[in-house]
Amino acid sequence: MNEVQPDVITCSSAISACEKAAQWENALQLFREMAQSHEETDVVTFNAVIGACERAGAWKNALQLFGVMAQTSIEPNQMTVRAGISACAAGGEWTQALRLLGAMSQLQMELDTFTFNAAIT
């Protein structure tokens, strides 16, 4: 019998499941394993792992993931930045949250009610 190999979809789904179960450290571990095995990542993968960090208020990890995105040339989308803003806000890092909010303008992303709510909650 052939062994099923994980791909970006199955790995992103597993990370998303960790996010929903408030298992942010497991989400980060799965992400690291993807990187170590040179598994492809995409914006959905980053949204899931940054979302897991958001739920835990792990703002440092969330910001580090933005750095990884830049290294891999994956562009964040509105959902990615919003999760980063929420992670920073949850950790009391208002300066960082506002910096991400400003980055959205630079990336010509729409600043909507959900984004402003993420920054002020």
Side-chain angles (χ1 to χ4, degrees):
M1 181 178 235
N2 291 337
E3 189 175 308
V4 176
Q5 295 297 315
D7 62 9
V8 67
I9 295 171
T10 55
C11 290
S12 295
S13 296
I15 290 170
S16 184
C18 290
E19 172 195 3
K20 289 173 179 44
Q23 297 292 316
W24 70 277
E25 291 168 318
N26 289 333
L28 279 173
Q29 182 60 36
L30 284 170
F31 179 81
R32 287 186 190 115
E33 289 173 11
M34 284 180 76
Q36 289 172 350
S37 67
H38 304 290
E39 182 64 47
E40 178 185 348
T41 57
D42 61 14
V43 72
V44 175
T45 310
F46 279 95
N47 287 348
V49 72
I50 292 172
C53 292
E54 169 195 5
R55 287 177 153 238
W59 63 274
K60 287 182 184 178
N61 298 91
L63 292 181
Q64 288 172 348
L65 289 163
F66 279 98
V68 174
M69 285 185 89
Q71 292 171 354
T72 58
S73 301
I74 296 174
E75 289 289 322
N77 62 21
Q78 195 172 20
M79 179 184 251
T80 317
V81 181
R82 190 181 301 138
I85 290 169
S86 292
C88 290
E93 291 296 320
W94 300 106
T95 304
Q96 298 294 340
L98 292 174
R99 197 178 110 246
L100 286 174
L101 190 64
M104 288 185 77
S105 293
Q106 292 174 345
L107 294 169
Q108 298 180 341
M109 291 182 184
E110 180 183 345
L111 298 172
D112 61 8
T113 305
F114 296 110
T115 304
F116 286 115
N117 282 342
I120 63 172
T121 54

